[in-house]
Amino acid sequence: MSKIRPSKGAPYARILGVGGYRPVRVVPNEVILETIDSSDEWIRSRSGIETRHWANDEETVAAMSIEASGKAIADAGISVEQIGGVIVSTVSHFKQTPAVATEIADKLGTDKAAAFDISAGCAGFGYGLTLAKGMIVEGSAEYVLVIGVERLSDLTDLEDRATAFLFGDGAGAVVVGPSQEPHIGPTVWGSEGDKSETIKQTVPWTEYDSSTGKFPAITQEGQAVFRWAVFEMAKVAQQALDAAGITPNDLDVFIPHQANERIIDSMVKTLKLPEHVTVARDVRTTGNTSAASIPLAMERLLATGEAKSGDTALVIGFGAGLVYAATVVTLP
């Protein structure tokens, strides 16, 4: 018989607050067209993207995260000292160690919160949310800050016609806390490493030659990624609905990773979402911000009134790896 005392966590967890930060500089398609042979019409028709935000030197991964986190903590109505964990999902913090989460936890003023980074690409927010839920139910933290943040402009090849227009910068954060009712459903997540070459960094850091003037960048096989996202991720989204015990008719909001509006439209059609379901389309003015895209889209929907507190939302992230994570949540 075990001598270990059982954990004393909460029965369930929920999102209590959300915050976002978008860099000051707004970059229209016209700027992208200075380095690629394309057109504004082509970019919009292929992706839905009209503008994106690019960070300046002061808008670092840590700085953007702190801004978004402060808003999320205020929205949750708790003090910084109550944060027991900080989880940061990013692929664009270039210092291998220490984790940027530790810097964020310190500068926010937490009381020695557990802090770590994860690398799960565009599914990173879902991974972080699932880990936070586990920490709260297990009892190792009462409140956990989950941050998705990217400076993808640093990893964009502006001469690559297939990707130059896609990526943007920003940070989104949520506070996850205890609940007496289930407000974060079971997570359906996984990976398909056999398809890892479809989205990747052009060269590893060990092979980077600064004399070439060509910085490592993100590249992808557009058609292969599109087909996978539309057909396979619609199945994962349906599995998340099934796991939560609801149907599309029970949904109020759909917040998919903001990769491409054509992918979003196709998923809506495949899932047969009713017309009353609000669909996040933040990609139009924010671009693809990878791990930051879901919390940023969530924050905007609530700020504009397109979604409201208590709404039931399906969230799904998918990307490099290939990795994915989907769950149903109650909006804060």
Side-chain angles (χ1 to χ4, degrees), residues 1-292:
M1 183 175 181
S2 174
K3 297 179 180 180
I4 299 172
R5 180 181 299 170
S7 299
K8 295 183 178 180
Y12 305 103
R14 72 171 297 166
I15 300 173
L16 299 173
V18 60
Y21 180 82
R22 293 172 174 79
V24 174
R25 184 186 177 194
V26 177
V27 180
N29 289 338
E30 285 73 19
V31 172
I32 307 298
L33 296 174
E34 294 173 4
T35 52
I36 61 171
D37 181 17
S38 188
S39 68
D40 177 63
E41 181 183 4
W42 187 88
I43 293 174
R44 292 184 189 226
S45 66
R46 298 286 291 185
S47 68
I49 298 173
E50 302 166 11
T51 61
R52 73 284 292 147
H53 295 255
W54 283 354
N56 60 34
D57 291 343
E58 287 72 40
E59 293 168 321
T60 63
V61 165
M64 291 190 293
S65 297
I66 290 167
E67 289 290 333
S69 298
K71 295 175 183 177
I73 293 168
D75 192 42
I78 66 168
S79 68
V80 174
E81 292 80 11
Q82 291 176 276
I83 297 291
V86 178
I87 303 171
V88 177
S89 179
T90 185
V91 299
S92 48
H93 176 63
F94 296 150
K95 187 180 289 186
Q96 189 71 36
T97 192
V100 71
T102 60
E103 177 186 349
I104 295 165
D106 176 62
K107 289 185 175 178
L108 281 172
T110 67
D111 184 17
K112 300 180 181 178
F116 57 96
D117 298 350
I118 59 175
S119 177
C122 305
F125 176 75
Y127 275 54
L129 187 64
T130 304
L131 293 173
K133 173 185 173 183
M135 291 168 69
I136 291 160
V137 173
E138 186 269 341
S140 61
E142 185 175 14
Y143 298 97
V144 179
L145 185 63
V146 179
I147 303 166
V149 56
E150 302 293 2
R151 273 182 55 120
L152 293 181
S153 58
D154 292 334
L155 287 167
T156 300
D157 181 353
L158 294 178
E159 296 179 352
D160 181 359
R161 189 174 184 272
T163 61
F165 59 90
L166 287 175
F167 303 119
D169 303 336
V174 298
V175 171
V176 183
S179 174
Q180 294 302 308
E181 297 179 344
H183 288 287
I184 301 176
T187 301
V188 177
W189 57 354
S191 65
E192 297 186 31
D194 60 316
K195 300 180 180 65
S196 61
E197 290 295 300
T198 57
I199 306 175
K200 63 180 182 179
Q201 186 172 307
T202 49
V203 295
W205 296 111
T206 51
E207 296 178 16
Y208 169 53
D209 181 359
S210 60
S211 66
T212 66
K214 202 75 170 176
F215 200 70
I218 297 173
T219 184
Q220 69 175 28
E221 298 174 16
Q223 287 302 315
V225 173
F226 182 89
R227 288 192 298 270
W228 176 76
V230 169
F231 297 108
E232 296 304 319
M233 291 307 97
K235 296 176 187 176
V236 170
Q238 183 60 56
Q239 289 170 15
L241 291 174
D242 294 341
I246 67 172
T247 70
N249 286 327
D250 298 315
L251 277 180
D252 300 303
V253 186
F254 179 44
I255 311 177
H257 165 48
Q258 301 293 291
N260 181 307
E261 193 165 35
R262 289 174 62 212
I263 292 175
I264 294 171
D265 288 340
S266 295
M267 290 184 71
V268 168
K269 183 177 180 180
T270 302
L271 287 167
K272 298 179 180 178
L273 295 185
E275 289 188 9
H276 76 261
V277 176
T278 298
V279 180
R281 299 184 186 280
D282 194 44
V283 66
R284 293 174 180 172
T285 56
T286 306
N288 179 344
T289 55
S290 189

